[in-house]
Amino acid sequence: VSLNPPIPPPKKTAVFGPMLGRAVNGKCDEIQHESPPDAILDRVQFLINNVTMSNVEQKAQELREMLDSQYFGWLGHYLVVKRISTQPNFHSVYLAFLEQLGDYGKGLIEAILSSVYFNVGKLLRSPKITTSTSERSLLKNLGSWLGQITLARNRPILQITLDCKELLFQGYETGMLIAVTPFVAKILEGAKNSIVFRPPNPWLMGLLSVFRALYGVDDLKMNIKFEVEVLCKNLGVKLEDIPLRTEDLAKRLPPFKIRNPDFNTKSSQQPVPGPGQNAPGPPTMVESQEGKDAGITLPRMAIPGAALPVGSPSSSVASVQDQQQTVIPNLASYVTINPSLNLLFQQLAAAGGSGNINNAMLKRNVPVAVDRAIREIIQPVVERSVTIACGTTKEIVTKDFAMESDENKMRKSAQLMVANLAGSLALVTCREPLRTSVSSHLRQLLVSNACGANNSGSNETPNPQLSDQERSVIDQCVSSCAQDNLELGCMLIEKAATEKAVRDMDEALAEALSTRKKHREQTGTPFYDMSIFGNGNQRYPSALPEPLRPKPGGLRSEQLLVYEAFQRIPRHPNVGASQQLSSGITPESGAGGIGSGSNTGVSGKSGAKINIEALSSIAMKLNNAVTALLGAAGPRASEVTLRMLPPDHEVKQLLLASEQVTSSAVSNGVLSSSETDSILGFAQGIFKRLYELRLSEPLRLEAFVALLESLNKCCRQLGQDLGTWATYAPTETDSQRKLHCTVLLLLLRSDLLQVHELDDYLCKSIDNGTNRVWLEFTLSFMRTAILDKNVNPQKMPKVLNTLTKIGKGHSMANQIFQLLHLIQDMGEPTGSTNQNQEDVVTNMGGLNALVSKQDRPTHQQSSSISVASLTNLAEATKRASEAIGAISRDDPQGFKRQVTLLLDGWMRMSNEIVPVEKTLKYVQLLQQNEIGKNEEQTERFFRMCTEIVVAAVLKNATPSGTNSKPAERKVLNYTVIDSYGKLLSLLVKHMNSGGSNEVVATERVSLLNKILGITVRTMMAHYEHSKMESKGMPLNWDQRPWFRLLLVLVLDLNAPSALLDPISYGILSVFGSALHVVQPLVIPGFAFAWLELISHRMFLSNLLLLKGQKGWALAHQLLIDLFLFLEPHLRKTELTDAMRHLYKGTLRVLLVLLHDFPSFLAGYHLSFCNVIPENCVQLRNLVLSAFPRGMVLPDPFTPNLKIDLLPEISKSPAILSNVAGPLNAIRNDLDNYLKNRQPEGFIDGLLPRLFKDDTKEIDAPRVNALVLYVGMQAIVNQQNSQISHSLAHTAEMEILKKLMELNDGGRYITLNAVANQLRYPSSHTHYYSCVMLFLFSEAKDEGVREQVTRVLLERLIVHRPHPWGLLITFIELIKNQRYQFWSHPFTRCATEIEKVFESVARSCMAPGSQRSTSLGGDVSQQQPAIS
């Protein structure tokens, strides 16, 4: 018997790697792939960069044409490394792109898979995978892609390549679950779209059972469990339904949980140094271990001699000091800790919490966390930033200084540029990773210290769990300290990057600098670096424009300023700033700020319906994401709103995550009272934060209101409490009231405020008009809310009633009246019931009494057409509805069913690929049933078809989102309408009853006329029906189906076609007539679609390009229809959003016409100006700036320009408008007077004959026509005489001088009529320019001169274009000494007016020019232009 004790078997140790498959074991070696030529490489990269869902088919075809399959290895590697691993939001785009490649792309998919496996293995073997969030993010993205390209396509992941189950087990043993779990979970998410890999697939269920077993492991971190929960939700599997098999996990080595990133444990279990092991003193090294090889040196802190605190050599303190080692010296002296956190520690102690979480513990651990975070991320950040900055700087500096002899200039410029670029790039790259890393390290340190202190001196097995309140305090400390010390860490990383960049730049340019120095010392001649020109394939600098190319002598001083501008002001850590703003913690709010609820215990309970901790985390991330976005926006941060962000933006994704959290709470049942209190406390913290923000950051306001909107879905009590909270908002200062107004508008837009509560609140605050401050607030709030359509004013009867009562006699009566006008313009009251309805009617009655005709013109009075005509147009839909109703009563029984069956057959046929002959047979079948031939049958069939397809489209509409306005909530599927439009097009194209070509053409145009007539009548009836349902305001009528149907017909029937080209004029005429019938004055709700149709390239362009200008009259009529609708609205000072957009659209249409068809605008300028309001100066200038194509306008600023010698001055312009039409009543007398000045009383009786019928209001179109008609007659009569000697004594001038006797309004209309003829060089422009100057010089009243100046000036101070004749006339007026323009008192009546005149004069007069433009001869003789 041996006395030696048995040798124990060797202890098994967990190893990560064996049996995980070729990917992880390193057997998927990286292959050096052959790269395509540079030209193709650039094109491919550009193609990949621009691929989107809308162009994948086109880009796939381009790739087939440009890239050979031998380069798939390179492309696959590029896609994985540069795109797929970093852009998870574009995975769907890349997958669709690969689908479009078809068989050609099979090799590319294999190359991508090979590269994915290689990079997965590389990441899993990385020593930093458990500590680096960026590496784990890359791994997670690759897992998501791997699942979508394999499992989602029913393709397995072979165990020999990657054993996912073994990967989970080994991750459990070795502490790598933090990286492995999200990776495998993302792979399995691809199974949700698979047919094969769905439960109960054995492979999938085996992996899910492992996840279920891991989920039940004690102390496993919440984020790992969360990944499991998200996976189950995505797969539609309940966690409890997955079979639990713990025996497999039990066979594995149990993990060592101490300092294991997968588990939450107490630090008392960590090894403690023995008594003889002294704690290390303050370190002196400044080079990080991670950055040794890269040459990265961490910067020393500025204060010499400042050391980190050194503790006593006791074992417990030694352990703490071990954690306190920082590579960066003196870091603790610069770390910032928010003093307000003391309040949290006091509240924790008062609640019976542990006293070990205190300020002293925070001071010990924050420097360590910051130090570790910096060392973790500094190497990749600095390496990347320095590499990019050095490469860029070297290329640019080498080019710019190619001919610079002074090496010192080159060195200094390069150092300034590279330091700026590297520092800025490092700054933007490190901010978010640093924040995350500091938070992670600090949380670990605080939890470890708190748990260790709680169990020190105890022999009991330590309990690693902290109380919920302690965890909440730690979370808030982490958030606050991470934010407050972020600038410090960024500054240190930026400094390290800057210093390394300067060193590397000196090394990179050493040879070039040395060469210049030797050349200067040895030769003394100018230096030329010809190497940059040596490579014939090099694009630059030969492709640069001349000013940017290197020139002998080097850079000039002004060019060197570009490099000196890189000089940076040193950044300093923002110590102590914005701690309360960032963390949401204030002395008043305590733990109730953003990131904490008033009852934090709810978030920690297992089985709680609402996760406050998750919402708190989302709120902090949301704040950080908004900060980053606004920082990137720079000076335009105030323009960024939530609506601008794409759906995949981080801010939108965080808001979506908050909705998912609240939605899950709703699905779990009714919340308890404690959970409700927790949500209200959390929401109150967010609400308080709203009033700490700035109006210059609307995005942050919108984001937090959206967060409140998510909370309101699971806690309806919030919507009631918000109204109460709003009444206590700070409103002492003007800025606070502006912020309060914005917050109320946002809450109202999100339906978080009860309108009746807001009505009470504002009514009480106004105090019957005695509180002027709140009256101004209410007026501003109501105006904005009404214009933005956030509130129906009729739902605020108390405010309306109060404003109506105090309107007359109040000091703010004008502002009150403006608001009441606006309310009246928004429409009559709708939808009120019972007592509310009576209140609304009463208030509207008082409003109408206040807003009388004497105060302002009505909508009808603002229009150029009569009230009878307006009424006739407005009632057209009613007449169409009555006619359709009468006809539909005679429909045969079962007719709708028959039509539905016919349409259904056509839809199936059009959705399939069928021969053309089969579709033509269907068309012939319809023709055999008298469709297109029998008037009654055709009318009935097309009307029924139109009603059916429109109803089908509207019925199948789907909601587009929860935050959309009511009119935008539905997404329509136009497949049915598109098919029906195709059927109509075929019927027109193949309509043929026999006979000659002319007969067939007439039949086709006639059929199209019937189709469009029936379509527009049905639309009008549909609109009228909607209007009747909503009591006069068709708010729910959707114009989109009708627009789509008409657009399909416009596109199909106006496309080039051998069948339809001979009848193109007839087709366009029918379309134009149909659009004239449904003009905006008839169907206002169709206005936007109507404008899109009349301006479509397939309609308007084709119409105006018809030979002989056949289509010009029709296009003119449609534009007149548009202007008549806009006219009353444009006369108002404030436009609604809808009218503002319609006006912008009109401007764009006119710009297109001005560019492509200027002769059209010039020919009809008179009729267009008749319906353009006087206040729309720019719109009128667009029309008047048009001149015939081919004409070259002389420069109006040319010195001594003799206009009367221009060849165009003798030619009269083409006038296509009906000039004499408005003058029918006075035409005979006018002609007689112009011929022989008879009858004698014509002049004296002229002015009353220019008024509108039975009124004393000037008829502007009649005056416009009179001024043009008189001028045309004068030019004809005096064609061979000198105008300058006979102008003043002609009959035409007598009439124009008589018009100056009108009142101010009439005279203003007359002068505008004269100015409307100051256009391109022609006899008209010359004549009316002389008339305008004559009226200025000969006027006896100074008011006339002032009005002449006003008419000219107001057309010049708006944006371009400016009519040529207008510029010529104004330049002559201000430069010719005969008119003594600057001596008139109205040019000096006010400083502001004087500045305007001087500004316009400077822009109109050539610098240094003393000569004037002459209208009638040489100005050097100082002869008057007009006598």
Side-chain angles (χ1 to χ4, degrees):
V1 178
S2 174
L3 298 177
N4 295 325
I7 300 174
K11 186 176 181 181
K12 290 181 65 178
T13 57
V15 180
F16 184 83
M19 298 186 297
L20 290 182
R22 294 172 180 171
V24 185
N25 291 332
K27 295 180 181 179
C28 293
D29 296 327
E30 185 174 15
I31 302 172
Q32 293 299 324
H33 302 289
E34 181 183 359
S35 300
D38 290 345
I40 296 178
L41 186 144
D42 290 341
R43 290 176 61 195
V44 171
Q45 291 181 347
F46 182 78
L47 182 149
I48 298 297
N49 195 46
N50 289 278
V51 67
T52 63
M53 274 298 188
S54 60
N55 64 10
V56 287
E57 187 174 353
Q58 172 195 346
K59 297 298 180 184
Q61 182 60 34
E62 292 178 10
L63 185 67
R64 288 193 193 97
E65 296 170 356
M66 75 172 67
L67 190 69
D68 193 78
S69 59
Q70 71 183 78
Y71 302 119
F72 279 172
W74 165 82
L75 180 56
H77 180 72
Y78 168 77
L79 284 172
V80 171
V81 175
K82 298 295 185 181
R83 302 288 177 175
I84 293 168
S85 61
T86 58
Q87 299 176 350
N89 294 330
F90 290 92
H91 282 181
S92 57
V93 178
Y94 298 140
L95 285 167
F97 180 66
L98 292 176
E99 287 284 353
Q100 292 295 330
L101 293 176
D103 293 338
Y104 165 81
K106 288 182 179 179
L108 178 58
I109 293 177
E110 296 303 324
I112 291 175
L113 263 178
S114 177
S115 183
V116 167
Y117 284 130
F118 171 78
N119 285 282
V120 164
K122 194 173 180 180
L123 287 170
L124 287 173
R125 294 193 302 272
S126 171
K128 295 191 295 182
I129 190 63
T130 58
T131 58
S132 173
T133 54
S134 59
E135 287 194 359
R136 292 202 299 272
S137 177
L138 293 174
L139 183 63
K140 190 173 180 180
N141 295 341
L142 289 177
S144 177
W145 173 264
L146 186 57
Q148 293 179 69
I149 204 171
T150 55
L151 304 184
R153 299 179 173 211
N154 305 314
R155 178 173 178 171
I157 298 175
L158 300 179
Q159 185 175 347
I160 195 172
T161 305
L162 182 66
D163 191 339
C164 294
K165 183 183 288 189
E166 183 66 21
L167 187 61
L168 289 173
F169 284 139
Q170 291 192 16
Y172 166 72
E173 292 176 329
T174 57
M176 289 184 60
L177 280 179
I178 192 172
V180 168
T181 304
F183 170 64
V184 179
K186 281 295 178 183
I187 291 176
L188 296 191
E189 275 188 21
K192 65 183 178 182
N193 298 321
S194 172
I195 299 174
V196 176
F197 298 100
R198 295 285 299 169
N201 179 277
W203 179 82
L204 177 69
M205 296 309 295
L207 282 171
L208 290 179
S209 67
V210 176
F211 275 122
R212 173 72 192 279
L214 291 173
Y215 188 87
V217 174
D218 292 336
D219 305 326
L220 192 69
K221 280 192 172 178
M222 288 298 297
N223 55 345
I224 298 177
K225 292 187 175 183
F226 182 68
E227 293 287 350
V228 179
E229 293 172 358
V230 171
L231 172 63
C232 292
K233 183 177 180 181
N234 287 330
L235 293 178
V237 178
K238 292 184 178 180
L239 187 64
E240 56 271 18
D241 294 342
I242 299 173
L244 178 60
R245 300 188 183 95
T246 57
E247 58 273 9
D248 292 336
L249 203 61
K251 296 176 184 177
R252 295 286 176 165
L253 290 176
F256 187 63
K257 296 184 179 181
I258 305 302
R259 297 193 179 183
N260 189 325
D262 297 340
F263 298 94
N264 294 312
T265 57
K266 292 189 176 181
S267 61
S268 60
Q269 296 177 340
Q270 298 175 2
V272 178
Q277 294 175 306
N278 293 331
T284 58
M285 59 182 291
V286 293
E287 187 175 11
S288 71
Q289 187 66 29
E290 292 84 348
K292 271 185 181 180
D293 299 333
I296 301 169
T297 303
L298 293 173
R300 295 177 181 271
M301 302 307 289
I303 302 176
L308 296 176
V310 181
S312 61
S314 66
S315 60
S316 60
V317 177
S319 176
V320 174
Q321 286 183 357
D322 181 59
Q323 294 179 356
Q324 286 182 339
Q325 288 191 64
T326 60
V327 173
I328 305 172
N330 309 325
L331 183 61
S333 304
Y334 294 91
V335 165
T336 302
I337 296 176
N338 190 346
S340 64
L341 292 176
N342 286 324
L343 182 62
L344 285 180
F345 302 142
Q346 295 170 9
Q347 292 176 348
L348 179 62
S354 170
N356 300 309
I357 304 177
N358 51 41
N359 200 43
M361 184 182 75
L362 212 55
K363 289 181 177 179
R364 289 195 303 271
N365 289 285
V366 171
V368 181
V370 174
D371 178 83
R372 292 180 181 177
I374 291 174
R375 287 188 287 125
E376 180 180 283
I377 71 169
I378 190 168
Q379 180 182 0
V381 169
V382 171
E383 277 297 318
R384 177 177 180 272
S385 305
V386 170
T387 301
I388 295 173
C390 285
T392 305
T393 303
K394 183 180 179 182
E395 292 294 327
I396 294 177
V397 168
T398 303
K399 184 270 296 182
D400 284 348
F401 290 85
M403 299 184 180
E404 176 60 61
S405 303
D406 190 347
E407 75 278 3
N408 292 322
K409 282 185 181 179
M410 184 176 180
R411 180 188 295 108
K412 181 183 177 183
S413 299
Q415 289 176 347
L416 289 175
M417 181 177 179
V418 79
N420 185 293
L421 292 182
S424 300
L425 189 56
L427 188 66
V428 299
T429 306
C430 75
R431 183 174 294 275
E432 289 308 314
L434 184 63
R435 186 200 309 274
T436 304
S437 185
V438 170
S439 301
S440 174
H441 286 295
L442 184 56
R443 182 175 284 105
Q444 290 179 9
L445 288 169
L446 293 182
V447 171
S448 299
N449 278 263
C451 295
N454 287 340
N455 293 278
S456 60
S458 173
N459 294 326
E460 299 177 6
T461 302
N463 181 6
Q465 295 294 333
L466 294 172
S467 68
D468 293 328
Q469 196 165 10
E470 288 173 332
R471 287 188 176 280
S472 176
V473 170
I474 287 177
D475 286 342
Q476 294 183 56
C477 290
V478 168
S479 173
S480 175
C481 292
Q483 178 66 28
D484 294 340
N485 294 285
L486 184 61
E487 287 295 326
L488 171 64
C490 289
M491 183 196 73
L492 295 176
I493 294 175
E494 180 186 17
K495 190 170 187 295
T498 300
E499 292 175 353
K500 186 176 189 303
V502 171
R503 291 197 305 272
D504 289 2
M505 196 71 252
D506 288 344
E507 293 176 5
L509 294 178
E511 183 179 352
L513 297 173
S514 175
T515 303
R516 281 165 175 76
K517 184 177 181 181
K518 289 179 182 178
H519 182 86
R520 177 170 49 80
E521 293 174 348
Q522 295 173 2
T523 66
T525 59
F527 177 80
Y528 299 96
D529 182 5
M530 301 307 295
S531 63
I532 66 170
F533 302 99
N535 186 358
N537 296 327
Q538 187 170 317
R539 184 179 178 187
Y540 298 108
S542 58
L544 290 173
E546 183 60 30
L548 298 181
R549 292 181 186 173
K551 293 181 177 59
L555 298 184
R556 300 188 300 275
S557 56
E558 61 269 21
Q559 291 174 322
L560 281 172
L561 289 175
V562 175
Y563 286 94
E564 293 173 5
F566 282 115
Q567 182 70 49
R568 294 175 62 92
I569 299 174
R571 291 172 49 81
H572 298 286
N574 189 12
V575 178
S578 74
Q579 294 98 329
Q580 295 181 3
L581 199 64
S582 303
S583 61
I585 302 169
T586 62
E588 293 78 19
S589 64
I594 290 180
S596 65
S598 59
N599 183 0
T600 57
V602 175
S603 63
K605 295 177 182 178
S606 60
K609 299 183 184 68
I610 185 70
N611 191 341
I612 296 294
E613 184 177 0
L615 290 172
S616 176
S617 174
I618 290 172
M620 286 189 290
K621 290 179 181 178
L622 183 65
N623 187 51
N624 297 337
V626 172
T627 301
L629 177 59
L630 296 182
R636 304 196 66 178
S638 60
E639 302 173 17
V640 181
T641 61
L642 195 59
R643 187 179 297 180
M644 297 179 183
L645 304 184
D648 58 351
H649 193 277
E650 183 182 3
V651 173
K652 287 282 187 76
Q653 292 297 316
L654 287 170
L655 291 176
L656 185 62
S658 69
E659 291 180 8
Q660 291 173 349
V661 172
T662 54
S663 299
S664 63
V666 173
S667 62
N668 288 337
V670 181
L671 299 179
S672 65
S673 59
S674 62
E675 290 169 335
T676 301
D677 292 343
S678 297
I679 295 176
L680 292 176
F682 178 75
Q684 191 171 26
I686 297 177
F687 184 79
K688 288 180 180 179
R689 175 69 190 284
L690 290 173
Y691 288 90
E692 298 170 4
L693 302 178
R694 295 173 295 178
L695 284 173
S696 59
E697 296 182 348
L699 176 62
R700 202 183 301 274
L701 285 166
E702 289 181 312
F704 285 134
V705 170
L707 197 56
L708 289 175
E709 192 176 359
S710 298
L711 294 172
N712 189 48
K713 293 178 181 178
C714 66
C715 180
R716 290 297 174 184
Q717 180 66 31
L718 176 59
Q720 302 172 16
D721 289 0
L722 276 172
T724 305
W725 297 347
T727 59
Y728 295 101
T731 54
E732 288 76 18
T733 65
D734 185 52
S735 59
Q736 288 178 337
R737 285 191 292 273
K738 287 180 180 178
L739 180 60
H740 184 47
C741 179
T742 304
V743 171
L744 289 181
L745 288 168
L746 289 173
L747 294 175
L748 196 61
R749 188 177 71 183
S750 302
D751 293 329
L752 294 174
L753 277 184
Q754 302 290 331
V755 179
H756 66 87
E757 291 184 1
L758 186 62
D759 188 28
D760 293 337
Y761 170 57
L762 293 178
C763 186
K764 290 178 183 178
S765 302
I766 294 173
D767 196 14
N768 289 322
T770 58
N771 192 328
R772 185 182 177 88
V773 171
W774 273 98
L775 182 56
E776 290 179 354
F777 177 92
T778 303
L779 292 173
S780 174
F781 172 81
M782 290 290 291
R783 183 181 298 108
T784 308
I786 292 169
L787 287 175
D788 292 345
K789 296 184 179 179
N790 289 335
V791 66
N792 183 350
Q794 315 312 330
K795 294 184 179 179
M796 303 186 71
K798 294 182 179 179
V799 170
L800 272 181
N801 192 32
T802 303
L803 293 177
T804 305
K805 287 179 181 177
I806 66 176
K808 291 184 178 180
H810 197 277
S811 59
M812 297 182 66
N814 288 336
Q815 294 93 318
I816 296 174
F817 284 161
Q818 287 179 6
L819 177 64
L820 297 179
H821 295 330
L822 181 62
I823 294 174
Q824 189 184 45
D825 292 339
M826 298 305 286
E828 297 299 321
T830 59
S832 301
T833 56
N834 302 336
Q835 186 60 40
N836 285 339
Q837 185 174 5
E838 296 176 7
D839 293 341
V840 168
V841 172
T842 303
N843 291 329
M844 289 301 295
L847 189 152
N848 289 326
L850 280 176
V851 187
S852 61
K853 290 184 179 180
Q854 288 74 20
D855 292 329
R856 70 199 278 263
T858 63
H859 185 89
Q860 290 82 1
Q861 291 172 325
S862 299
S863 179
S864 295
I865 57 179
S866 65
V867 175
S869 298
L870 282 173
T871 304
N872 183 54
L873 290 170
E875 292 179 352
T877 56
K878 183 178 180 181
R879 295 193 296 272
S881 177
E882 292 172 351
I884 291 288
I887 296 173
S888 62
R889 283 193 288 271
D890 297 333
D891 289 346
Q893 189 174 4
F895 181 70
K896 182 175 182 180
R897 183 172 176 275
Q898 295 174 11
V899 173
T900 304
L901 291 174
L902 279 172
L903 279 177
D904 186 56
W906 169 255
M907 298 301 167
R908 286 199 299 270
M909 186 185 302
S910 61
N911 290 331
E912 299 172 358
I913 302 176
V914 297
V916 178
E917 293 77 10
K918 192 172 181 180
T919 59
L920 293 181
K921 285 182 180 179
Y922 189 90
V923 171
Q924 292 171 2
L925 174 65
L926 293 179
Q927 292 174 349
Q928 290 170 6
N929 284 278
E930 301 296 316
I931 304 301
K933 299 176 182 178
N934 182 285
E935 190 79 27
E936 183 178 352
Q937 188 73 357
T938 302
E939 165 90 23
R940 182 175 289 118
F941 176 77
F942 287 132
R943 171 177 52 80
M944 189 65 69
C945 287
T946 306
E947 291 174 352
I948 290 171
V949 297
V950 170
V953 169
L954 295 175
K955 183 179 179 181
N956 296 323
T958 57
S960 64
T962 56
N963 295 327
S964 302
K965 294 182 179 180
E968 300 172 348
R969 282 180 186 160
K970 303 292 186 181
V971 174
L972 304 183
N973 186 338
Y974 299 107
T975 306
V976 177
I977 278 188
D978 292 345
S979 298
Y980 177 56
K982 183 179 178 182
L983 174 63
L984 297 179
S985 301
L986 287 173
L987 281 170
V988 173
K989 290 178 181 179
H990 298 283
M991 181 65 188
N992 190 345
S993 300
S996 64
N997 292 336
E998 291 77 10
V999 173
V1000 173
T1002 304
E1003 284 182 344
R1004 289 173 179 170
V1005 173
S1006 175
L1007 177 60
L1008 178 61
N1009 190 34
K1010 292 175 185 176
I1011 291 172
L1012 290 179
I1014 296 165
T1015 302
V1016 297
R1017 284 196 298 274
T1018 308
M1019 177 169 65
M1020 293 163 71
H1022 194 265
Y1023 181 82
E1024 181 66 22
H1025 182 67
S1026 175
K1027 189 163 63 172
M1028 293 173 62
E1029 283 184 343
S1030 53
K1031 300 180 181 179
M1033 292 291 289
L1035 301 175
N1036 297 322
W1037 189 74
D1038 199 331
Q1039 62 184 326
R1040 292 176 294 171
W1042 305 97
F1043 167 65
R1044 182 69 171 215
L1045 177 57
L1046 291 173
L1047 180 63
V1048 169
L1049 293 175
V1050 167
L1051 292 173
D1052 285 354
L1053 297 178
N1054 289 293
S1057 167
L1059 288 173
L1060 300 180
D1061 284 347
I1063 56 171
S1064 59
Y1065 172 63
I1067 291 174
L1068 290 168
S1069 299
V1070 170
F1071 272 109
S1073 301
L1075 291 171
H1076 175 62
V1077 170
V1078 290
Q1079 60 180 283
L1081 282 174
V1082 175
I1083 307 181
F1086 193 62
F1088 285 100
W1090 187 87
L1091 177 60
E1092 177 75 16
L1093 288 169
I1094 69 159
S1095 61
H1096 198 279
R1097 60 184 176 82
M1098 297 297 290
F1099 175 72
L1100 186 59
S1101 298
N1102 291 347
L1103 192 64
L1104 294 175
L1105 288 172
L1106 288 172
K1107 293 181 180 179
Q1109 301 178 355
K1110 291 181 180 179
W1112 283 26
L1114 186 54
H1116 164 255
Q1117 180 60 60
L1118 292 174
L1119 284 178
I1120 293 294
D1121 293 340
L1122 174 62
F1123 287 132
L1124 286 175
F1125 176 71
L1126 285 169
E1127 183 188 12
H1129 301 278
L1130 295 179
R1131 292 188 188 276
K1132 301 173 185 177
T1133 56
E1134 293 182 348
L1135 294 179
T1136 61
D1137 284 342
M1139 294 310 303
R1140 190 176 294 110
H1141 287 302
L1142 193 63
Y1143 173 69
K1144 288 181 180 178
T1146 304
L1147 276 180
R1148 291 174 180 174
V1149 172
L1150 285 183
L1151 282 171
V1152 172
L1153 291 174
L1154 180 63
H1155 183 272
D1156 294 344
F1157 303 99
S1159 298
F1160 169 72
L1161 284 183
Y1164 287 105
H1165 81 284
L1166 176 66
S1167 48
F1168 288 148
C1169 288
N1170 283 342
V1171 291
I1172 295 177
E1174 294 80 8
N1175 58 322
C1176 297
V1177 182
Q1178 187 180 19
L1179 196 63
R1180 190 168 55 242
N1181 274 358
L1182 276 175
V1183 175
L1184 299 178
S1185 297
F1187 58 89
R1189 189 177 296 278
M1191 177 181 285
V1192 178
L1193 300 183
D1195 184 1
F1197 305 115
T1198 303
N1200 202 21
L1201 176 64
K1202 297 181 180 180
I1203 297 172
D1204 58 336
L1205 299 182
L1206 295 175
E1208 297 88 356
I1209 288 300
S1210 61
K1211 300 177 182 177
S1212 295
I1215 303 295
L1216 301 178
S1217 300
N1218 183 6
V1219 180
L1223 302 176
N1224 286 335
I1226 62 172
R1227 174 77 179 276
N1228 292 332
D1229 292 343
L1230 176 62
D1231 287 341
N1232 290 332
Y1233 184 81
L1234 292 176
K1235 287 180 181 178
N1236 49 32
R1237 302 207 181 201
Q1238 294 293 332
E1240 295 180 357
F1242 175 76
I1243 285 288
D1244 295 333
L1246 175 62
L1247 299 186
R1249 301 176 74 175
L1250 299 178
F1251 295 152
K1252 291 182 179 179
D1253 297 339
D1254 301 327
T1255 67
K1256 291 190 176 182
E1257 184 182 354
I1258 290 291
D1259 189 343
R1262 191 174 300 174
V1263 173
N1264 291 339
L1266 175 63
V1267 169
L1268 180 56
Y1269 186 81
V1270 166
M1272 292 168 66
Q1273 296 300 319
I1275 292 169
V1276 171
N1277 295 335
Q1278 302 174 10
Q1279 198 69 250
N1280 299 319
S1281 64
Q1282 290 292 328
I1283 296 179
S1284 58
H1285 297 294
S1286 58
L1287 180 64
H1289 307 292
T1290 60
E1292 292 81 8
M1293 185 52 71
E1294 292 294 328
I1295 293 175
L1296 295 175
K1297 287 165 62 177
K1298 184 65 178 178
L1299 294 179
M1300 292 296 101
E1301 298 178 10
L1302 289 166
N1303 59 17
D1304 289 344
R1307 192 161 57 233
Y1308 178 67
I1309 291 173
T1310 303
L1311 291 172
N1312 266 314
V1314 175
N1316 287 345
Q1317 309 311 318
L1318 302 177
R1319 302 188 291 147
Y1320 57 89
S1322 66
S1323 59
H1324 285 199
T1325 298
H1326 188 204
Y1327 176 80
Y1328 285 103
S1329 183
C1330 295
V1331 168
M1332 188 69 85
L1333 294 173
F1334 176 82
L1335 294 176
F1336 183 91
S1337 62
E1338 300 299 323
K1340 299 176 182 178
D1341 184 4
E1342 188 71 13
V1344 175
R1345 295 191 182 93
E1346 187 171 349
Q1347 272 195 310
V1348 170
T1349 306
R1350 173 197 170 181
V1351 168
L1352 296 175
L1353 189 65
E1354 69 184 2
R1355 296 177 181 227
L1356 288 171
I1357 60 177
V1358 298
H1359 292 298
R1360 288 181 291 180
H1362 301 129
W1364 181 87
L1366 185 72
L1367 285 168
I1368 287 291
T1369 305
F1370 190 73
I1371 291 172
E1372 175 71 12
L1373 179 64
I1374 63 178
K1375 291 177 68 176
N1376 195 329
Q1377 295 299 320
R1378 181 180 188 278
Y1379 304 112
Q1380 298 293 316
F1381 178 78
W1382 300 107
S1383 65
H1384 294 290
F1386 60 79
T1387 62
R1388 310 285 177 186
C1389 62
T1391 306
E1392 295 80 3
I1393 298 295
E1394 188 175 350
K1395 289 181 179 178
V1396 170
F1397 277 120
E1398 291 175 355
S1399 174
V1400 175
R1402 278 196 302 272
S1403 64
C1404 289
M1405 296 172 64
S1409 174
Q1410 299 299 322
R1411 296 185 176 186
S1412 75
T1413 304
S1414 174
L1415 293 169
D1418 190 353
V1419 179
S1420 62
Q1421 302 176 9
Q1422 290 299 319
Q1423 293 294 329
I1426 303 172
S1427 61

